[in-house]
Amino acid sequence: MILRLPPLAPGLRVGLYGGSFNPAHAGHRHVSRLALRRLALDRMWWLVSPGNPLKDRSHLPDAASRAAGARAVAQDPRIAVTDFEAALGVRYTVETLSWLTDRHPEIRFVWIMGADSLATFHRWRGWREIAARMPFAVIDRPGYTLRAMASPAARALAASRIDEAAAPTLADRKPPAWLFLHGPRNSLSSTALRATTVRSVS
């Protein structure tokens, strides 16, 4: 498997949005466009992961198939879909972000996650290192606002949270730095879409 990254140029402000994308849907595109606009990013990468270590992967389609589906959904020239993590042979986000920042210090990367991910961020391997590696933005999701902000990680990183009004400056800040973005919320989820597909088939 050949490791290929989307095109890069020094100084680019690139959002990294990771997940299984099983399947990709309009909610992913909504989050990406919100982040692109509010954070003044140049590009968004959808990192199609080999599989979430915290979830059951026994019925997960291969990364290449999920990436192909994601490309059909992205429909935005600023969004690049990549499954390079499979070629890199990593399992954890901290490994991916360390690899990228070590090799591309000239790029202003920002990690993008949903409020549901912040709620469990303290369970991720190396979550404190992730926060120390690059700025990150948390996108509000229905049903997770209060739970996310009361989470162990949010409390531990409270001192490095910046005001939402400073969102366009996030990519330029030295980590740790993060913010919580409110805005129009999309309730679509891959889990719900898979459940709907199973019901329609049966």
Side-chain angles (χ1 to χ4, degrees), residues 64-92:
S65 298
R66 288 179 282 122
R71 290 186 185 97
V73 170
Q75 299 178 1
D76 191 311
R78 299 168 298 173
I79 300 174
V81 178
T82 174
D83 59 351
F84 84 91
E85 287 178 296
L88 189 59
V90 299
R91 291 186 59 205
Y92 299 98

Side-chain angles (χ1 to χ4, degrees), residues 19-56:
S20 61
F21 294 93
N22 183 35
H25 52 72
H28 293 127
R29 188 172 62 244
H30 167 79
V31 165
S32 299
R33 287 177 171 170
L34 175 68
L36 283 160
R37 182 178 73 254
R38 297 283 300 279
L39 302 175
L41 300 175
D42 299 304
R43 298 285 187 275
M44 179 70 71
W45 291 6
W46 287 4
L47 306 183
V48 180
S49 71
N52 187 334
L54 298 178
K55 296 181 179 179
D56 178 16

